[in-house]
Amino acid sequence: YPLVDKVTAGGRVKLILDVDTGEATWLEQRGELPENDDSKLTAVEFDGFKVGRVVYIDNSLLEDSIINLDDYLTKRIARSIAKAVDKAIAVGEGANQKQPEGIIPAIPSANKVTAAPTYEAIIPHLGKIDTGEDATGEIIAVVHRQTYYAKIATLTLAKNAEGKDVIQLPNLAQPNFLGLRVVFNNYVPQNKIIFGDYDYYTLVERESTRVDMSGHYKFREDQTAVRGVGRYDGKPVKPEAFVEVTLEENSEEQPAGA
């Protein structure tokens, strides 16, 4: 969620996007600016899908709890919605399933590759990331946390014949791939790395997540409902800006740093 381009909009909208951010035109200081048509603009239509959760809790628990239980539940429900949004951005199934379109299903087949878990095998595939003429965005690697620590962090470990470290030790507190920022998303399948410029995924917020409480519906049962709800849609506006690298399964047979 923090990586993607976010737009706040109400109602059904069709966004006209200059996906490649075309360059401006140079001319004499008193010259007339040229007129451009909309042939290079991309119209992307977004809907709005609801995501939410409701939990009923007995009022006696709220009254007797030694912690602020309603605040605790509020945070937990907000977190569950955040997880649903993150999952949709990664692998969402689209309008047919009433959810945003995910990045991974939209990646073109030419940008889906298999590589040995070595730097020299992985790095050339970053050249497949196509953001048009605009090359200013940050490339970020999104990966399952277990994949990072099991197969990627160890790539930076190597020693020479004298037993000295010849490659920088991994910074486990700040995961990175040769300086590229690494972000964890456990909805990305294991043994896959999704490289890309995440500005090319647009998330439309119809209604940002809100959490509220009510005791009306379960008044007779003396229960309070804690509800969280939000409305979103999203899709990758330029799927070519992403690359899926599947690591070969024989990674354990590869020497570290090879």
Side-chain angles (χ1 to χ4, degrees):
Y1 176 87
L3 305 181
V4 302
D5 181 38
K6 287 175 281 294
V7 176
T8 301
R12 190 180 185 93
V13 296
K14 180 180 290 186
L15 298 180
I16 307 299
L17 304 172
D18 186 5
V19 175
D20 286 335
T21 314
E23 65 186 57
T25 302
W26 289 95
L27 63 160
E28 196 276 330
Q29 64 179 345
R30 296 184 180 179
E32 181 179 348
L33 291 173
E35 296 181 355
N36 297 110
D37 60 31
D38 61 359
S39 60
K40 293 185 178 180
L41 298 180
T42 302
V44 183
E45 189 166 343
F46 292 87
D47 206 327
F49 304 111
K50 184 184 292 185
V51 58
R53 184 183 180 192
V54 61
V55 174
Y56 294 98
I57 184 168
D58 195 275
N59 289 334
S60 63
L61 294 177
L62 292 174
E63 295 164 359
D64 298 342
S65 176
I66 60 174
I67 64 172
N68 188 342
L69 193 57
D70 55 345
D71 183 61
Y72 172 80
L73 288 172
T74 295
K75 291 179 180 178
R76 298 293 291 183
I77 290 178
R79 175 61 183 155
S80 71
I81 294 176
K83 290 174 64 177
V85 172
D86 267 4
K87 181 178 182 179
I89 293 172
V91 295
E93 299 179 55
N96 289 339
Q97 298 300 320
K98 309 304 180 186
Q99 55 187 263
E101 295 180 17
I103 291 172
I104 294 176
I107 296 176
S109 58
N111 285 25
K112 293 188 175 186
V113 298
T114 300
T118 64
Y119 283 140
E120 58 265 34
I122 296 173
I123 291 173
H125 295 301
L126 272 66
K128 298 179 183 295
I129 296 174
D130 179 9
T131 58
E133 296 177 353
D134 195 349
T136 60
E138 178 187 10
I139 294 177
I140 297 172
V142 176
V143 65
H144 192 289
R145 184 167 64 179
Q146 291 181 348
T147 300
Y148 176 80
Y149 288 117
K151 296 188 176 181
I152 300 175
T154 55
L155 294 180
T156 58
L157 300 173
K159 296 181 182 296
N160 60 16
E162 299 176 353
K164 296 181 180 179
D165 293 325
V166 294
I167 300 179
Q168 181 180 358
L169 293 175
N171 185 344
L172 297 183
Q174 296 179 326
N176 71 87
F177 181 89
L178 284 180
L180 295 181
R181 183 154 58 110
V182 170
V183 174
F184 296 144
N185 184 321
N186 281 8
Y187 294 111
V188 173
Q190 291 201 41
N191 299 321
K192 293 183 184 290
I193 312 172
I194 310 301
F195 294 99
D197 183 344
Y198 285 79
D199 281 338
Y200 286 92
Y201 185 97
T202 297
L203 182 72
V204 173
E205 295 186 339
R206 305 293 193 186
E207 177 186 8
S208 59
T209 300
R210 58 181 170 84
V211 180
D212 47 27
M213 303 177 68
S214 173
H216 296 299
Y217 177 66
K218 293 277 189 175
F219 180 78
R220 180 178 178 182
E221 291 87 347
D222 197 27
Q223 292 182 352
T224 294
V226 184
R227 178 186 63 181
V229 66
R231 291 189 296 122
Y232 301 89
D233 193 12
K235 60 190 65 178
V237 295
K238 192 173 180 64
E240 299 85 0
F242 302 92
V243 168
E244 175 191 293
V245 177
T246 300
L247 301 178
E248 294 177 348
E249 289 292 339
N250 62 347
S251 59
E252 289 78 10
E253 300 174 9
Q254 301 290 334

